[in-house]
Amino acid sequence: LIDISKSDNQVREFSNWATFSVSNLGLAKDLVSVFKDKSLNNLVLQAHGVRDPKTSRTSIRSDDLRSEEITMSDISSFSKNGYIFERLSQENSVSFLREILGKVKNDGNCVLGICNLGNPETLKDAANAMTLLSGNRLNLYFVNGWSTAPYDGRRLLQPDGSLTAFIENAKYNVQGYWTPVSKNGVIGKPIKYIIIRDSSNPIEFK
């Protein structure tokens, strides 16, 4: 959902991985529709995570400023109650996200490279919301601060293909971490690295 290439509908093949650079959830949903439901072993989703420092509320937003921000409470309400949003675009965004997650196999991995979702103050709500939206089927990974992608839509950015987690402060960037959450919503011990590979071992957690 971060359109690094500045050109929608870009599809790239990296051996084990197909990468899509798009500007909103609707386009992302349309592109992954080429895959059957519950057919992917691994999914990495990059988007903006916006955290309100006053309320600690975290929302997901794409590059398209016309698209709606969706909060964790929006996602939970949609999953539990079929919540009807004030604006159809909000409801569509949550529905699109659910369809995207539905492409991953049971017990598959979904890495949420969405800034701030794994922040200690918001992790529990984010874990509950995303576990519920995915149907309690997937292993989810949340970043505690910011994250950078291994690909920019054209080439490998990180030499080892790592998804980098970091926290920015006034002086320097501090090593961040990823928090795994099981399909049952159990929060695991943080891990430092998630590595994307063009090899027989396409993803590594270490």
Side-chain angles (χ1 to χ4, degrees), residues 109-153:
N109 298 308
C110 179
V111 178
L112 297 165
I114 302 171
C115 300
N116 300 309
L117 278 195
N119 184 286
E121 294 180 0
T122 58
L123 175 62
K124 186 175 180 180
D125 287 343
N128 288 339
M130 297 304 292
T131 298
L132 194 60
L133 189 68
S134 62
N136 297 91
R137 300 183 306 105
L138 310 180
N139 301 304
L140 304 172
Y141 297 83
F142 297 82
V143 63
N144 72 317
W146 292 0
S147 72
T148 57
Y151 300 112
D152 71 349

Side-chain angles (χ1 to χ4, degrees), residues 47-48 58-62 68-70 72 75 97 114 117:
H48 298 289
T58 302
S59 56
I60 299 172
R61 182 179 66 77
S62 64
E68 295 285 349
E69 289 187 3
I70 50 177
M72 298 304 103
I75 292 172
L97 181 56
I114 302 171
L117 278 195

